[in-house]
Amino acid sequence: MIIRNVRLFDGVADQPQDNVDVLTEGSHVVAVSTSPVAGDASDGVVEIDGKGKFLMPGLSDAHVHLMGNANSMVDFLQGPTGSLYGNTIAEAKRMLLRGFTTVRDMGGDTAPVKGLIDRGVFEGPRIFPSQAMISQTSGHADFAFVYDVPEEFGGKPSRTEDIHFTRIADGVPRVLAAVREQLRMGASQIKLTLGGGAASMYDPLNTLQYTSDEIKAAVQAATDYGTYVATHVYTPAGIARAIDAGVKSIEHGHLADEATIHLIADNQIWLSMQPFAEDDHHYPDPVRAGKNAEICHGTDQVYAWAKKYGVKTAWGTDLLLEPQSAPRQSVMAARLGEFYTNVEALKMLTSGNASLFELAGERNTYRGGKLGVIAEGAWADMILVDGDPIKDISLIADPDANFQLIVKNGQIVKNTL
């Protein structure tokens, strides 16, 4: 396939390049040239006239819950298991049609879905699965009812554990087993919850979850498999404990103070942030709504400190349990332009996130090409935009109207040219 005459943003350079031809063969980009690339339709070459429009790498999301995006809490607790996966597969295609060609899933049984997508059975983004979120009893990923007896005392796993959305593990031996279980199931990285959250029922935001020994055990087990641990955590104390234990990615961090952001920078840890607004999530009870508001109010300051200290910052959404809100993924991507220049935001949404994904090492099943860029040898994941997002990043908030061509793995997913 040859996409001719495009204004190319390659995911890395500050300035796009005009009059570019991009040649793909199979699933990879094989040439990027300002001279016309030769092609012959009789040899099966597909030629697309880009008409000078803006070509960029496919978008990525560093913190999705694909199964959580596609299903409500009622679905999780009462719905048939088959429906959960069917909804997840349907949402995967919708996410791809929003231009997201790669995602890092931070909790949910998505390794089987990833396998089906990678084999071409269904359409969807490339997935870096974490499998079940690992949590202590009463922690952020404990979705058992308050009257349920914990497994430690002879109780049964909760429904969310049965469907591999969460795993409760207390004490070093169980944490080791939980990490190894997720790796056995196909996790490319491990997700631990180390503090309170807005969506969870039992834990105030200021709680510290998991002891240092438990976190270090998880890090050791992940490291032995050649990968890393990412942690849900908001507070300075929780972040400091995570860093001390060897965690490589802080998920959220909205309640951090300046000294903690400086500490993240000094240790070269990733900060996987979300530009939350209060209406991104809807919590009917005042306790969780209050926690959500507190988290959102920290966003501006943490982004400012992250820029000040040069923190390696990734972008994600963390939309969860409200399927009707899933399209806000595109709105939140555009919102990144409120905190960074448009080109900085586009880099984070493409090559920046991809650098975080590469921490998965040999657990990264997409090592056969470069993600997040348009360059020779890269995976052929691209979007042709009607307009220039460097000038107006709000264009990516409406992919239905503005993404005229979406290519993933060298295959045309959408073409309205």
Side-chain angles (χ1 to χ4, degrees):
M1 179 168 59
I2 304 172
I3 306 177
R4 296 197 183 278
N5 183 27
V6 296
R7 180 171 171 81
L8 178 68
F9 168 67
D10 64 3
V12 178
D14 288 338
Q15 295 296 325
Q17 192 171 17
D18 290 318
N19 303 312
V20 176
D21 284 5
V22 177
L23 171 65
T24 72
E25 290 183 4
S27 56
H28 288 74
V29 175
V30 295
V32 178
S33 176
T34 53
S35 300
V37 173
D40 186 348
S42 65
D43 292 334
V45 176
V46 175
E47 294 196 40
I48 296 174
D49 182 2
K51 302 177 182 178
K53 296 180 187 294
F54 190 95
L55 187 72
M56 62 177 287
L59 298 169
S60 61
D61 189 328
H63 194 119
V64 301
H65 294 280
L66 191 53
M67 182 171 279
N69 240 15
N71 294 280
S72 68
M73 180 59 79
V74 172
D75 293 328
F76 273 118
L77 296 180
Q78 299 179 358
T81 303
S83 294
L84 295 174
Y85 288 95
N87 291 338
T88 300
I89 290 166
E91 175 57 24
K93 181 171 183 177
R94 291 191 291 267
M95 196 171 286
L96 180 59
L97 289 173
R98 292 196 286 271
F100 289 90
T101 55
T102 304
V103 300
R104 187 178 62 144
D105 191 279
M106 300 310 289
D109 188 23
T110 54
V113 177
K114 163 189 163 61
L116 292 168
I117 291 171
D118 288 349
R119 294 200 305 272
V121 178
F122 294 107
E123 290 185 305
R126 304 178 191 275
I127 301 174
F128 285 78
S130 300
Q131 290 303 101
M133 296 181 280
I134 301 173
S135 169
Q136 68 175 41
T137 299
S138 79
H140 177 61
D142 185 353
F143 287 94
F145 294 111
V146 69
Y147 48 77
D148 286 337
V149 177
E151 277 191 89
E152 195 73 25
F153 304 130
K156 297 179 180 179
S158 67
R159 166 66 171 160
T160 58
E161 290 186 86
D162 286 340
I163 60 175
H164 309 297
F165 187 64
T166 64
R167 173 60 73 202
I168 303 303
D170 296 301
V172 167
R174 283 183 176 265
V175 169
L176 286 171
V179 170
R180 291 164 179 164
E181 176 190 33
Q182 308 324 309
L183 293 167
R184 182 181 68 185
M185 296 183 72
S188 53
Q189 65 283 320
I190 296 298
K191 165 75 172 298
L192 237 60
T193 63
L194 303 189
S200 43
M201 297 179 283
Y202 308 124
D203 50 353
L205 291 176
N206 63 354
T207 57
L208 281 168
Q209 299 174 19
Y210 276 132
T211 65
S212 294
D213 286 344
E214 288 171 316
I215 305 167
K216 289 176 181 177
V219 168
Q220 183 65 63
T223 302
D224 288 346
Y225 241 70
T227 187
Y228 68 101
V229 171
T231 54
H232 163 105
V233 62
Y234 287 107
T235 64
I239 293 169
R241 182 178 289 187
I243 292 173
D244 181 65
V247 165
K248 297 298 184 185
S249 177
I250 302 298
E251 305 298 312
H252 314 314
H254 293 68
L255 304 183
D257 55 21
E258 184 171 3
T260 301
I261 299 300
H262 199 172
L263 182 67
I264 292 173
D266 287 346
N267 284 274
Q268 291 294 292
I269 305 299
W270 279 89
L271 177 64
S272 176
M273 273 279 286
Q274 303 76 37
F276 287 139
E278 286 190 52
D279 60 353
D280 288 330
H281 300 90
H282 303 92
Y283 297 111
D285 62 284
V287 173
R288 286 191 289 175
K291 290 194 289 183
N292 181 55
E294 186 176 349
I295 290 165
C296 293
H297 292 166
T299 302
D300 290 20
Q301 190 64 78
V302 170
Y303 270 131
W305 288 328
K307 292 175 67 175
K308 177 179 178 179
Y309 293 109
V311 172
K312 295 186 294 185
T313 308
W315 171 89
T317 48
D318 194 33
L319 296 169
L320 185 65
L321 302 177
E322 295 178 343
Q324 70 277 10
S325 297
R328 294 186 72 84
Q329 183 180 35
S330 300
V331 175
M332 291 177 71
R335 193 185 298 154
L336 193 57
E338 297 177 14
F339 307 97
Y340 293 85
T341 68
N342 290 349
V343 73
E344 287 172 339
L346 291 175
K347 286 182 181 181
M348 195 182 300
L349 291 163
T350 54
S351 62
N353 278 354
S355 295
L356 170 57
F357 302 159
E358 289 171 359
L359 287 185
E362 292 191 3
R363 304 283 74 75
N364 170 12
T365 62
Y366 306 116
R367 298 190 307 280
K370 191 75 173 173
L371 290 168
V373 298
I374 298 177
E376 291 183 16
W379 293 109
D381 301 342
M382 300 173 284
I383 304 170
L384 192 70
V385 186
D386 187 14
D388 187 342
I390 292 179
K391 295 178 181 177
D392 180 9
I393 199 169
S394 69
L395 292 167
I396 66 176
D398 190 354
D400 286 348
N402 300 318
F403 291 176
Q404 295 190 301
L405 178 73
I406 300 174
V407 176
K408 184 236 170 174
N409 206 41
Q411 303 294 313
I412 296 173
V413 175
K414 174 185 176 180
N415 184 3
T416 61
L417 290 169

